[in-house]
Amino acid sequence: MNPTEKALWFVESHLPDAVSLDDVAASSGVSRFHVTRAFAAATGRSVMGYMRARRLSEAARKLAGGAPDILSVALDAGYGSHEAFTRAFRDAFGTTPELVRAQGSTRNLDLVEPILMDSSLLTTLEPPRFETSRPFLVAGLGERYSCETSAGIPRQWQRFAPYIGSIPGEVPGVFYGVCLNGDDAGNFDYVVGVEVKDFSDLPKDFYRVRVPAQKYAVFSHREHISTIRRTVNTIWNKWLPASGHEIADAPEFERYGPEFDAHTGNGGLEIWLPVKG
């Protein structure tokens, strides 16, 4: 498995946390030296430099959105003081946090977007099993993505984590990443959530998804979560054209069972693709 892919996943999944290079190296299963060289060769950036740039970019977005407290934004970005944050912000963007907040725009800032993980095709893909799902309900946090912004999905999972265990009607032990409402431009809604018994008493900002009874091709992804794009790309560009199956108009989803470790990204998951007939 690629240590850079694991490092990218770990950084994006732990962006607000106090993460060291040792943490990133441990998550990648290699030494500090190895992950530093591998990451630089693949991305042209240092690991920690990328993390700092991503934190500052997300901070700039919060400021442009009217964040009322610059110190809180600074602390969330990993800086211990307003002064340290302002120095780093000015070094990165050539302007101050106060000015970005006053202008309400990041238009002239050189923001660093999430680097997309590897999307190359797998050489082999386990044959899927076919199941007809029962109808069920999923509730959680939703975001609209394009192909270019989908690398931000790990951060969405992180934002959802504090809700786990306190959602009304929650069915414990299994989590879902549901893709729906895709358009011809490649935009789609992605909902991170859990199965619930009904939609009553949910937080107001929660998305609500009804998954109908539907035939699915179910693929096992057994590698680290960072390589999921390779599996998805192989399904759509290799397996599906050769299978004779057609996609049904229903949500597709990832199913994360108790074996999946959200901290390390290991344990595997299932990809459920709706098919006709």
Side-chain angles (χ1 to χ4, degrees):
M1 292 184 287
N2 189 323
T4 298
E5 292 171 338
K6 289 186 176 182
L8 284 169
W9 178 84
F10 190 85
V11 167
E12 290 297 331
S13 296
H14 300 79
L15 208 54
D17 302 337
V19 170
S20 69
L21 182 58
D22 286 329
D23 295 327
V24 179
S27 76
S28 302
V30 296
S31 69
R32 288 165 54 100
F33 176 79
H34 189 156
V35 76
T36 299
R37 292 294 297 270
F39 196 93
T43 69
R45 291 179 173 272
S46 70
V47 178
M48 302 312 289
Y50 172 74
M51 174 171 275
R52 284 192 296 272
R54 286 286 300 120
R55 284 173 170 169
L56 287 169
S57 295
E58 294 303 316
R61 287 194 172 93
K62 291 179 183 178
L63 293 167
D69 185 356
I70 292 179
L71 180 58
S72 294
V73 175
L75 295 174
D76 287 344
Y79 294 87
S81 69
H82 186 293
E83 293 75 18
F85 175 63
T86 298
R87 285 195 299 271
F89 197 93
R90 186 186 292 113
D91 290 344
F93 303 122
T95 187
T96 65
E98 289 82 359
L99 188 57
V100 170
R101 185 175 64 170
Q103 292 175 338
S105 172
T106 61
R107 185 177 305 166
N108 297 320
L109 303 186
D110 187 16
L111 301 182
V112 174
E113 302 295 344
I115 296 175
L116 289 173
M117 299 172 190
D118 183 25
S119 60
S120 58
L121 292 172
L122 297 172
T123 55
T124 60
L125 182 71
E126 290 185 34
R129 71 179 190 273
F130 291 88
E131 286 194 21
T132 298
S133 73
R134 58 178 175 80
F136 64 99
L137 308 177
V138 174
L141 298 180
E143 295 284 347
R144 186 74 173 168
Y145 291 99
S146 67
C147 295
E148 291 76 21
T149 62
S150 61
I153 287 176
R155 287 269 291 139
Q156 185 180 346
W157 278 95
Q158 188 179 59
R159 290 194 299 273
F160 179 68
Y163 292 97
I164 295 172
S166 61
I167 300 169
E170 176 180 346
V171 178
V174 178
F175 307 97
Y176 294 91
V178 185
C179 295
L180 66 164
N181 300 329
D183 62 23
D184 292 341
N187 304 305
F188 61 95
D189 291 331
Y190 186 83
V191 178
V192 173
V194 294
E195 182 179 352
V196 293
K197 296 176 182 177
D198 57 61
F199 288 149
S200 61
D201 300 322
L202 293 172
K204 290 189 296 184
D205 58 344
F206 264 31
Y207 275 54
R208 296 152 172 80
V209 179
R210 295 182 182 274
V211 180
Q214 168 66 47
K215 181 180 179 180
Y216 281 89
V218 183
F219 297 86
S220 295
H221 177 84
R222 304 185 190 279
E223 298 183 3
H224 190 271
I225 183 62
S226 66
T227 64
I228 189 172
R229 291 187 69 246
R230 297 180 64 207
T231 300
V232 171
N233 196 18
T234 304
I235 291 170
W236 283 90
N237 289 293
K238 186 175 181 180
W239 178 82
L240 188 59
S243 70
H245 290 282
E246 295 182 31
I247 294 297
D249 184 14
E252 59 181 285
F253 58 87
E254 303 143 18
R255 182 185 184 278
Y256 299 81
E259 67 280 0
F260 179 74
D261 186 331
H263 181 70
T264 66
N266 293 314
L269 59 114
E270 292 181 338
I271 300 168
W272 289 57
L273 191 72
V275 294
K276 294 181 178 180

